[in-house]
Amino acid sequence: SVYGGYTKNRVGSLAQLKKEGELDFSYPDGNALCKAVYVNNEVKAYSIICTHKGCPTVYNQEKAMFECPCHFTKYDAKKDGQMVIGHATGGLPRVLLEINGDDIFAIGVDGLIFGRINNNV
Ligand code: FES
């Protein structure tokens, strides 16, 4: 479910994301690290904070996997951040996007960011 109320923030350029394959941003606030990825001709975005114990995951672009260095949980960027192996009990929260021309906007988060009561706290 989508928690809390959200602002619409521009997070970057679609052309740049297509070129680089990934794009870092923060949402819904400066402490919430996220990444947009371009995979299978689609743009997807996630909170990169592992849902196990809160370590920042590292994106493996070749495998399209978010990999946690702490206890090796892996999340599939192609499958809505679903956990494929590891200790977490759920997938990575998905950042909801709106694309308008070359502009990518974050408009919400589906799933609870690790360590939060709701995503805006
Ligand atoms: Fe990521 Fe434990 S904190 S696997």
Side-chain angles (χ1 to χ4, degrees):
S1 52
V2 179
Y3 296 78
Y6 294 93
T7 52
K8 177 174 166 178
N9 290 0
R10 184 183 184 278
V11 300
S13 148
L14 180 60
Q16 191 178 344
L17 174 58
K18 284 183 175 178
K19 187 167 141 232
E20 295 177 4
E22 57 190 284
L23 169 71
D24 294 318
F25 63 98
S26 298
Y27 188 81
D29 55 64
N31 295 320
L33 302 178
C34 299
K35 190 185 283 284
V37 301
Y38 190 69
V39 60
N40 288 353
N41 299 312
E42 279 186 298
V43 178
K44 301 191 178 260
Y46 305 97
S47 160
I48 66 159
I49 304 304
C50 186
T51 61
H52 179 224
K53 291 197 172 169
C55 292
T57 60
V58 176
Y59 185 56
N60 180 330
Q61 201 175 117
E62 198 177 311
K63 294 183 175 162
M65 291 281 176
F66 285 87
E67 302 175 343
C68 185
C70 290
H71 318 97
F72 310 110
T73 291
K74 294 184 183 181
Y75 304 89
D76 193 337
K78 298 186 296 299
K79 295 185 179 161
D80 291 335
Q82 189 183 305
M83 184 185 74
V84 291
I85 188 166
H87 301 272
T89 52
L92 292 178
R94 202 164 52 93
V95 181
L96 308 178
L97 302 174
E98 192 177 292
I99 297 173
N100 189 346
D102 187 51
D103 294 320
I104 305 169
F105 297 93
I107 58 171
V109 179
D110 182 11
L112 191 58
I113 295 170
F114 180 85
R116 297 194 177 203
I117 298 164
N118 74 56
N119 288 335
N120 296 301
V121 176

